[in-house]
Amino acid sequence: MNKIKALPDNLANQIAAGEVVERPASVIKELVENSIDAGATRLQIDVELGGRRLMRVQDDGEGMTRDDAILAFERHATSKIRTAEDLARIGTLGFRGEALASIASVAKVELLTKTESILAATQVTIEGGRLVDVRDAARDTGTTIFIRDLFFNTPARRKFMRSEATENYHLAAIVTHYALAHPEIAFTMTNNGREVLRVSPATDLRERAFQIFGGNLLESLLPVSGGREYVARVSGFVSAPRERRTTRDAQYFFVNKRFVRDKTIAGGLLEGFRSVLPHGVYPVAFLFVDIPVEEIDVNVHPAKTEIRFRRGEAVKDVIAEAIRSALAKAGITADLRAESRFETEPYVPVTSPPLSPPPEQSGIQFGGEAPKTQQQVGHHVHAAAVNAFSGKLPPDPASAHAESREVLPTAELVEAISVPEPRRTASGYAELPPVDSAARISKPIDIEDLSASKIHPLGQLHESFIIAVDDEGLLLIDQHVAHERILFDKYRKSETARPIESQNLLLPETIDLSPAQSEAFQLIENDLEQLGFGLMRLSGRTVAIKSIPTDLPPSEARNLFAEILDTIELEKRGSPKSTLRADIAASLACKAAIKINMKLTPEKMRWLIDRLLITTSPTTCPHGRPIILRLSMKDIERGFHRT
Ligand code: ADP
Ligand code: MG
């Protein structure tokens, strides 16, 4: 007897369902794609119990005849391609012909559909891949599909479903994606009868983005439009650099109107933003890439959210170029051609007069006040370094910035601007002998070694690190993470003790939440109030922040909020409350903590050290980085060859 057997169709479908139907949101994705492919102008999506109990998608598309309605559930049955050549040039969202078969193999499905030309509608019922019933029914032209009891016959898969809140988040997110990609289509979505999204047909992406995200975000969006013939056209919007996100959640990419997750596009976007956004900060983006169908392979992933570009590098370049020109048009970067030379320069807003402090001021400052001579010496050294570098007298770095915005930077100017900061040239000073690096001998410290009464702060290094001594030697304390640790402990304690003190905002800040954020917000509203936020739901998805914790600078409130909503990573939304609270407390602590590059009075340094030492973990910050470095007497003596 042969040991190899072809699997029965239904089993094959269930296996395919493992890839196509990862979670309720992937079902909705396939159904919405089908409706769009059918030319729908109006889509209604209703879900119950995070999609577990019911998902229903109704459209006014072309519908199906009775024969087609039955065939649609066959594996590899599709109306969208016929030949292998078609596969190389796919213009529809679907083409694999396996979505309906897969979904029907793991759920109870009812399809109601009618075409324009045939009077009666057809109703098809399928359960776990078994055709149960086909009959005439009544309906206008279009299709309604009900998916009930997802994974009812695959208990293992059912177990892997996340909490209702997690699934709701994903459901809202996927519908948002398609609503953005198709402004011309009206979308309505409800969840347990509650309206999550309702948008009427819009004229363009901008109007659609406004419908979904509200005016706040829209104000900060810059139009992107560019491309190169035979490569790709790029259009859409990106945020101005002041809108900061710590995750890529607010980046939406579409290739030929198909929503994709794609590294090439993400790479081009980041490349375009390189000079204006610090590492680890991501822009908001809605990017549409239109590309000849022969230039991409969409058949690389069963869920069709990944694609392959034939010429990825060229596409990436085109995107970076389009982003850079969008930033330049908005006056955010000086000029396209000089762009690459500005890469190491921090972003300086055009309108704000206080340019970044000249680097020579950031030396060691004792007791908070920098002695004048120190600055002057510093300046001389800096000037010398510049001279050595470019061979001519340097313009003031600040005015170089300012000028570069009005005129095309000349070669010299660019040269002068790209002078590295003095601390990087430190080893290049011809007149100074090289200094041994302490990199190998300074170490993160153990808590037992510390006693507050013995630590004496001396001053700050680069207005960022506290220099202190104790019996054991020298200590360097990162002022930002030290304060972060203190605040984190305070916020964590608030769970058990009384709520955190809060301050009223002069003007309440209103924030428009996306449908997905709105789902996430429900989950954390109480925690935020415990932490000292006064919040009020206004109409729809708008939330007003009336008060914030006293430690938090009001200017940080908006960004903190966006960050909290974004960084509660998708998966964590389903995780226990305690880690969620820790995440929020960590974000809040980070935003409220004093920054680096900030001058501290001796009293403030003392306060920081005293408070730090009574925290739960004075040596590591909530994100796991060290707070204190120690250079011990022993190591110092060894360094000087005194032992
Ligand atoms: P694919 O979309 O890859 O072709 P599916 O399994 O998703 O495969 O759908 C199979 C077929 O059913 C489609 O090719 C299409 O002809 C038909 N179909 C599915 N949904 C709809 C709909 N909402 N309106 C009209 N036809 C549909
Ligand atoms: Mg399909």
Side-chain angles (χ1 to χ4, degrees):
M1 207 176 87
N2 295 342
K3 63 176 181 181
I4 300 179
K5 285 208 182 75
L7 293 174
D9 265 0
N10 200 29
L11 189 51
N13 285 335
Q14 283 192 6
I15 290 171
E19 292 172 306
V20 180
V21 191
E22 188 196 337
R23 62 182 349 144
S26 20
V27 173
I28 287 296
K29 171 184 177 294
E30 295 295 339
L31 300 182
V32 167
E33 285 189 349
N34 280 347
S35 295
I36 294 171
D37 281 344
T41 64
R42 188 160 285 283
L43 264 163
Q44 162 96 33
I45 299 133
D46 305 286
V47 301
E48 286 175 19
L49 274 191
R52 245 172 239 247
R53 183 157 67 203
L54 173 73
M55 289 178 274
R56 181 177 56 194
V57 175
Q58 301 186 67
D59 68 49
D60 62 352
E62 64 184 6
M64 286 174 267
T65 62
R66 175 177 279 224
D67 287 350
D68 280 347
I70 298 167
L71 258 178
F73 290 98
E74 293 286 319
R75 186 129 172 266
H76 304 310
T78 179
S79 58
K80 298 170 194 175
I81 57 173
R82 302 213 177 279
T83 65
E85 289 83 74
D86 292 344
L87 192 57
R89 18 183 324 107
I90 287 164
T92 48
L93 294 169
F95 58 87
R96 297 172 64 100
E98 62 181 356
L100 288 184
S102 301
I103 294 166
S105 73
V106 293
K108 299 174 182 167
V109 177
E110 190 184 313
L111 174 78
L112 199 63
T113 185
K114 181 187 166 315
T115 60
E116 180 92 63
S117 56
I118 297 171
L119 223 63
T122 306
Q123 181 184 339
V124 179
T125 313
I126 295 193
E127 285 183 9
R130 221 164 34 83
L131 186 63
V132 177
D133 186 38
V134 182
R135 62 173 73 189
D136 277 351
R139 195 204 186 283
D140 285 343
T141 302
T143 303
T144 304
I145 184 157
F146 298 77
I147 313 291
R148 295 194 175 88
D149 299 337
L150 184 64
F151 300 136
F152 79 100
N153 55 349
T154 51
R157 299 298 307 283
R158 201 169 50 224
K159 253 189 256 151
F160 274 99
M161 273 208 280
R162 297 307 192 109
S163 68
E164 189 182 345
T166 305
E167 300 304 346
N168 282 341
Y169 173 83
H170 288 284
L171 287 162
I174 199 78
V175 174
T176 304
H177 287 135
Y178 281 92
L180 280 169
H182 295 274
E184 73 286 357
I185 300 179
F187 283 83
T188 309
M189 178 178 186
T190 71
N191 186 339
N192 296 335
R194 184 171 48 86
E195 193 171 281
V196 176
L197 177 77
R198 174 186 294 277
V199 287
S200 50
T203 49
D204 55 15
L205 171 65
R206 199 179 162 79
E207 188 184 336
R208 179 51 55 89
F210 176 79
Q211 292 172 327
I212 296 179
F213 299 103
N216 277 334
L217 178 65
L218 209 66
E219 274 167 31
S220 81
L221 290 185
L222 315 172
V224 177
S225 166
R228 235 182 275 149
E229 218 182 336
Y230 307 118
V231 182
R233 256 196 54 75
V234 188
S235 59
F237 294 93
V238 293
S239 56
R242 66 173 177 276
E243 189 82 25
R244 291 176 277 144
R245 299 295 165 91
T246 48
T247 70
R248 292 194 161 98
D249 278 10
Q251 298 185 348
Y252 302 87
F253 304 144
F254 306 87
V255 173
N256 296 349
K257 296 216 154 191
R258 176 193 305 282
F259 165 65
V260 294
R261 297 174 208 290
D262 183 73
K263 290 210 178 77
T264 305
I265 304 177
L269 174 67
L270 220 56
E271 178 66 34
F273 263 96
R274 195 133 79 108
S275 58
V276 297
L277 277 186
H279 187 73
V281 174
Y282 302 98
V284 176
F286 309 104
L287 285 185
F288 289 82
V289 177
D290 285 305
I291 188 163
V293 286
E294 320 68 69
E295 288 288 312
I296 50 170
D297 187 354
V298 291
N299 189 25
V300 293
H301 189 267
K304 299 164 290 172
T305 43
E306 283 165 30
I307 51 169
R308 203 175 289 138
F309 291 103
R310 209 161 64 83
R311 292 181 293 167
E313 275 307 305
V315 172
K316 186 175 162 189
D317 284 352
V318 165
I319 290 166
E321 209 173 270
I323 303 291
R324 280 196 289 260
S325 94
L327 293 172
K329 267 198 207 112
I332 286 164
T333 46
D335 176 79
L336 268 184
R337 278 184 291 160
E339 182 61 36
S340 58
R341 308 302 301 264
F342 281 89
E343 273 165 13
T344 54
E345 291 294 308
Y347 159 57
V348 182
V350 186
T351 45
S352 74
L355 292 153
S356 55
E360 63 267 29
Q361 277 178 8
S362 47
I364 299 178
Q365 286 151 28
F366 289 88
E369 254 320 294
K372 218 182 176 112
T373 50
Q374 178 93 19
Q375 287 187 16
Q376 283 161 346
V377 171
H379 196 125
H380 275 114
V381 174
H382 178 54
V386 172
N387 276 338
F389 196 84
S390 64
K392 51 177 60 85
L393 212 70
D396 178 69
S399 67
H401 271 294
E403 263 171 65
S404 66
R405 220 144 262 113
E406 287 145 27
V407 293
L408 253 180
T410 60
E412 294 96 302
L413 197 50
V414 170
E415 194 84 327
I417 291 169
S418 52
V419 167
E421 288 175 17
R423 66 188 128 111
R424 266 180 274 150
T425 55
S427 57
Y429 298 158
E431 11 2 322
L432 292 178
V435 175
D436 269 354
S437 162
R440 270 167 295 127
I441 41 180
S442 68
K443 310 180 183 72
I445 199 167
D446 276 340
I447 163 105
E448 302 84 60
D449 304 344
L450 292 172
S451 151
S453 61
K454 297 204 183 112
I455 300 179
H456 297 290
L458 297 182
Q460 275 174 295
L461 180 62
H462 283 281
E463 296 188 338
S464 303
F465 306 98
I466 300 172
I467 305 171
V469 289
D470 67 359
D471 298 347
E472 303 280 314
L474 204 58
L475 296 167
L476 278 177
I477 303 165
D478 183 322
Q479 65 192 41
H480 172 69
V481 292
H483 196 203
E484 205 176 335
R485 162 55 69 192
I486 295 168
L487 292 174
F488 179 74
D489 275 33
K490 171 174 164 185
Y491 299 140
R492 292 293 285 158
K493 242 185 248 142
S494 78
E495 286 165 24
T496 47
R498 65 202 162 76
I500 298 285
E501 276 169 51
S502 65
Q503 52 180 333
N504 281 328
L505 292 178
L506 233 46
L507 283 174
E509 284 259 11
T510 58
I511 296 197
D512 302 316
L513 303 177
S514 72
Q517 283 178 333
S518 173
E519 296 293 320
F521 179 74
Q522 289 213 306
L523 224 72
I524 54 169
E525 197 171 350
N526 286 340
D527 295 326
L528 288 173
E529 287 186 341
Q530 276 263 312
L531 285 170
F533 285 94
L535 303 162
M536 204 167 89
R537 275 243 188 209
L538 303 179
S539 62
R541 285 179 271 108
T542 305
V543 171
I545 311 178
K546 291 180 303 176
S547 54
I548 58 176
T550 37
D551 303 298
L552 187 70
S555 59
E556 293 282 357
R558 172 174 294 280
N559 278 316
L560 171 71
F561 222 75
E563 176 177 315
I564 289 179
L565 287 170
D566 285 352
T567 50
I568 302 169
E569 290 156 40
L570 307 187
E571 288 317 313
K572 288 221 182 93
R573 272 173 244 267
S575 74
K577 273 261 180 196
S578 60
T579 60
L580 209 75
R581 285 212 188 113
D583 283 350
I584 299 171
S587 283
L588 177 55
C590 180
K591 284 282 183 304
I594 50 166
K595 305 275 177 286
I596 58 164
N597 291 317
M598 200 167 123
K599 190 176 282 182
L600 300 181
T601 60
E603 296 75 40
K604 185 84 187 189
M605 289 187 243
R606 181 78 255 165
W607 179 87
L608 264 178
I609 292 170
D610 291 343
R611 290 295 307 267
L612 176 65
L613 292 195
I614 54 171
T615 59
T616 52
S617 171
T619 54
T620 45
C621 88
H623 302 104
R625 289 187 308 198
I627 298 175
I628 309 181
L629 292 182
R630 142 94 71 214
L631 196 56
S632 73
M633 275 316 284
K634 228 191 321 116
D635 289 331
I636 293 173
E637 282 165 353
R638 200 177 300 143
F640 286 117
H641 302 291
R642 284 188 173 275
T643 47

